[in-house]
Amino acid sequence: MIRQCAILFGCLALGELIVFLTGIKFPSSIIGMLLLTLFLKLGWIKLQWVQGMSDFLIANLGFFFIPPGVALMLYFDIIEAQFWPIVVASTVSTLLVLVVTGWIHQLVRKIK
């Protein structure tokens, strides 16, 4: 369990270090997870080394959404004032993502 935490937090810390040293405007947590994926693909980290902690975090993922959900209550007045722009933007972006994903999938299947 300690090794699993150390690996996950080590990748996160490495992502923080990269952002600090380069000054790029990209979330360090995303960079850390990309590094973890790279290390897993390269075989530098074995899947069983992080499997237990990963399963635990995924099983309890819903708990991570409680604080942001509660914080939304502070902004009900803004959400109410901007309800339709939020709905339209969410709908358009969702449809755009679906269309582009489908299109790219078809292109990749043709190439294979």
Side-chain angles (χ1 to χ4, degrees), residues 54-84:
S54 300
D55 289 342
F56 172 78
L57 290 172
I58 290 173
N60 295 294
L61 191 63
F63 291 114
F64 297 115
F65 289 98
I66 292 173
V70 171
L72 274 176
M73 288 191 257
L74 296 173
Y75 302 101
F76 275 152
D77 55 337
I78 296 172
I79 293 171
E80 183 181 25
Q82 298 294 322
F83 180 75
W84 287 113

Side-chain angles (χ1 to χ4, degrees), residues 34-52:
L34 289 173
L35 289 172
L36 177 62
T37 303
L38 175 70
F39 297 157
L40 284 166
K41 285 288 189 186
L42 292 175
W44 296 353
I45 296 175
K46 303 292 180 212
L47 180 59
Q48 59 267 22
W49 294 354
V50 293
Q51 185 77 41

Side-chain angles (χ1 to χ4, degrees), residues 97-111:
V97 166
L98 287 171
V99 168
V100 169
T101 302
W103 182 64
I104 289 175
H105 177 71
Q106 288 177 348
L107 286 175
V108 169
R109 287 196 55 139
K110 284 181 184 176
I111 292 172

